[in-house]
Each structure stands twice: as structure tokens, then as C-alpha cells.
Amino acid sequence: MTLVRTNRELLERARRVMPGGVSSPVRAYGAVGGEPPFIVAAAGCHVTDTDGREFVDLVSSWGALIAGHAHPAVVAAIEAQARRGTSYGAPSPLEVELAEEIAASVASVEMVRFVSSGTEAVMSALRLARAATGRDAILKFAGSYHGHADALLSRAGSGLATLGLPDSAGVPTAVARDTITVAYGDLDAAADVASAKPLAAIIVEPIAGNMGCVVPDRAFLAGLRAVADRTGALLLLDEVITGFRAARSGAQGLFGVRPDISCFGKIIGGGLPVGAYAGSRELMSLVAPLGPVYQAGTLSGNPLAMAAGLATLELLDAAAYAMLEARGARLEGELAGAASAAGIAIRVQRAGSMLTVFFTDRAVRNESDAQTADRGRFAKFHAAMLRRGVMLPPSQFECWFLSLAHDDGAIGTIVDAARASLKEIG
Ligand SMILES: *Cc1c(COP(=O)(O)O)cnc(C)c1O
């Protein structure tokens, strides 16, 4: 094994043995150009690449790291657990504690099943919804992401309530057909579909994070709840990003909406692979071994992930959320000021500690609004920020995530870099 140190050489090696040189596509920087830094170390809000460059990190492992990188309490919990074993394939007390913690925090949750990723959580939750309703079709919203299960890699057909089409090669048409897609925020369209077709579930990100940050009208989620009740569909909130980020009680707590099933991931694993689906005791009792819905996992409820998740949740008290909100608000305000000083139209959309800078002058409420953003300009901005030591998510359609480690100094660094970068690309 050759010991390679430079980013460039690593990228070449990576591309020979891994598709695109990465383990998840967006990391390849296809949307912004340039070469992705290979990270060798991280602490707090900083990451260091193999060439020794340090960046303020706004990817935050796509939102998982709300405590920041290598938080001492999280690292200590993982170390202590690793010495007691890394996987048992048997129940452990940590799962019980984390499940109790989630149930105590999120009003709609009585029982939890842990899995190993958000994808797996949503995929399993759909199976549960289909079992509970005896129906196959589901409704989702354009621009949302719910992981890469076949049924969720579907896009809108030609008309409302028509059959879905595969959104990836390799997805069977028969599977995609059962997924109907309408515009995010379009309650009327959702109601029409639900009336026209018996739905197993309406699945929605309660705050969209995967077309950039989009906060829906309060009436949207309440309306979906009513549509689900009226038509016998289950309401499935995908809180893989928003769970324990939007609030301790999730976006559902923030908006006062009660889903039938909730999906979690990211934060509840404290930076280790995790997912969970959860709901009422009655519904979750359909899951094996209590009920007929089969779902299992070798590493499910993994003790390292449970320990990291518990240590992370312990840090998230009211003061932590207040701090995240205050720093988010400051960043939003100063970015808007920097853009207007540079004479560039941007739209900063934010929900607490997640935000997106859209290079457009219009409010982004759905995917077609998001598509009006100037991606070329974002790519230039991304590169200019990277040169100044700030690592943004490498796509216009992602959220920047603040953590507890993004202190006022880090916010200042981000704003200074943004001021200079916006001027440069103006
Ligand atoms: C990240 C994400 C997922 C998928 O989670 P993975 O752990 O990447 O499989 C699902 N839903 C939403 C809203 C996400 O942001």
C-alpha cells in the first residue's frame, strides 16, 4: 500500500476503485466542479484535508453533527462503549434508553424501531404504512428526498394522480408507478390525489431540506393531516434532518402536527450510521416480532451509534436550541447584508440552524422556484468560499448546517469569507 498524502493523488486512486471516487454521489463535487477535499481530521466546526488545509465546515455530515465534530462527550461515550464491544447482535440497554429518550421528546412517538440509515427507516416505514392500510400507492412531494429506496426514486408522471416514473436507472416501472408526486406545499393537489386514489401514506419533509431549505406554510402540514384523516391514508413525516434539529420535539412539535409514523436518522446517531421509524404502540405493534411486517438488521441498534446518539441528545437542552437559533439568525442577517453590499440578489431561507443561500430573487417555496436559482453563480461562490477556508455543501440545493461548535468567531469567519466571495463573483 502506497502512502499517498496529496488530495490530487488520493482522488486519482479513489476514482480507480470507487465510482466517482466517492461513497455517496454529491461528495464528488459534480454540481460545483473542482476537486473534493479528502478529510483526514475534524474537531468542533473545523475539518482538515489531506493537504493540511483547514476549513470551517457547514456540511456537518449533512446535518448529523449537531454537536460538531468529535465533541468530547460524544467521543468519550463511543470510546467507553467500544471497550465494552462494538456490536452484540442482542439487545442492549442503550437502545432502550435512546428509544425512551425519543418517545419522551416527540409527542407522536410511543415505540421505536432502530435501523442503520435514514433510507432504511423510510423504506421500512412505507412497508408498515402499506401493511396497516392494505393499500399500495403513496404520495410524495417534488424536490424532497427520502433516501434511495426504489419506491422513493420516482418522479411525477405527466398529470396529476397519474402514475409515477422511475427517477433512477434500475428502478422497476412497476414500483415507481405506485408513487405519486406533486409540488411541495400544494395542498390542493395533494387532496385531489388522495381523493382520486387510495393512498397508504402521504410522506413529507416537514421542513424541506433537500431542495435547499424550504419552510412550508403552517396550513400545509395541518392540511395534510386533515387529508390523511379524511381519506384513510397515514401521514408519514420524514424527520431524518429535522428530528432533534428543528426542535427537541422535531418539526412536528414546532408546527403542532401529529404524524402517524415518524422517521429519524442523522442526529440520533451522533455521527454514526443510524435510522429509526416510530409511531403509536398500536401501529408499531404490526412490526415483527409482534406483528406481520418483517424488518430486521444485523447492526440495527448498534451500541456505538446508540451511545453517540444518547450523548448527543444529552447536549440538546433549551439553551442549546436558543443558541443555534441566535447564531442562525445572525448568519442569515449578515449574509443578506453582504449580498446587498455586493449588489447580488440572493434569498436566504432558514429554519433555526439550517439555511440555504439561493442565488435567486424570488421566494423559494417548491422545486420549480428552487430551479430558478443561478447554479453557475453558486458554483463560483462555493469555490470562492472554499479558497477562503469555508466548506459549503457542494450543491445549490442543500442546507448549510450549524452545530453547537459554530461559535461567534466561526460565524464571523463565514461572513467575512462570504463578503469577499460575493464581491469577487459579483
Ligand atoms: C438524509 C436523508 C434521508 C436518508 O438518510 P440516509 O441515512 O442518508 O440513508 C432520508 N430523508 C431525509 C429527509 C434525509 O435528509
Side-chain angles (χ1 to χ4, degrees), residues 44-252:
C45 65
H46 292 100
V47 292
T48 304
D49 79 357
T50 189
D51 291 347
R53 297 177 299 175
E54 191 181 79
F55 306 95
V56 173
D57 178 30
L58 284 162
V59 181
S60 301
S61 192
W62 303 94
L65 295 174
I66 199 165
H69 292 277
H71 187 286
V74 178
V75 172
I78 295 169
E79 278 178 353
Q81 180 53 45
R83 277 191 291 272
R84 290 193 291 264
T86 57
S87 182
Y88 303 140
S92 87
L94 297 163
E95 296 157 86
V96 187
E97 281 177 43
L98 188 54
E100 285 173 349
E101 200 53 55
I102 294 170
S105 304
V106 183
S108 66
V109 172
E110 289 177 338
M111 292 179 107
V112 181
R113 168 58 61 83
F114 290 109
V115 292
S116 297
S117 70
T119 292
E120 205 186 346
V122 181
M123 181 186 83
S124 310
L126 279 186
R127 185 177 304 143
L128 172 59
R130 285 169 162 159
T133 58
R135 300 169 172 187
D136 288 340
I138 59 169
L139 173 67
K140 71 175 179 67
F141 297 91
S144 300
Y145 179 67
H146 303 293
H148 64 85
D150 279 354
L152 293 156
L153 291 179
S154 167
R155 62 190 161 80
S158 51
L160 209 67
T162 61
L163 309 172
L165 303 170
D167 202 20
S168 161
V171 170
T173 311
V175 173
R177 287 158 65 105
D178 280 331
T179 305
I180 299 156
T181 303
V182 301
Y184 192 80
D186 192 341
L187 184 57
D188 291 340
D192 288 350
V193 170
S195 303
K197 207 172 169 87
L199 297 175
I202 301 172
I203 174 167
V204 63
E205 289 178 74
I207 294 169
N210 286 290
M211 58 181 113
C213 183
V214 176
V215 183
D217 290 343
R218 189 170 274 266
F220 176 54
L221 295 172
L224 292 181
R225 177 69 272 175
V227 167
D229 287 341
R230 183 163 50 72
T231 60
L234 299 186
L235 181 62
L236 197 167
L237 288 192
D238 182 347
E239 297 234 41
V240 171
I241 287 180
T242 52
F244 294 91
R245 180 171 290 277
R248 179 93 191 177
S249 54
Q252 58 191 270

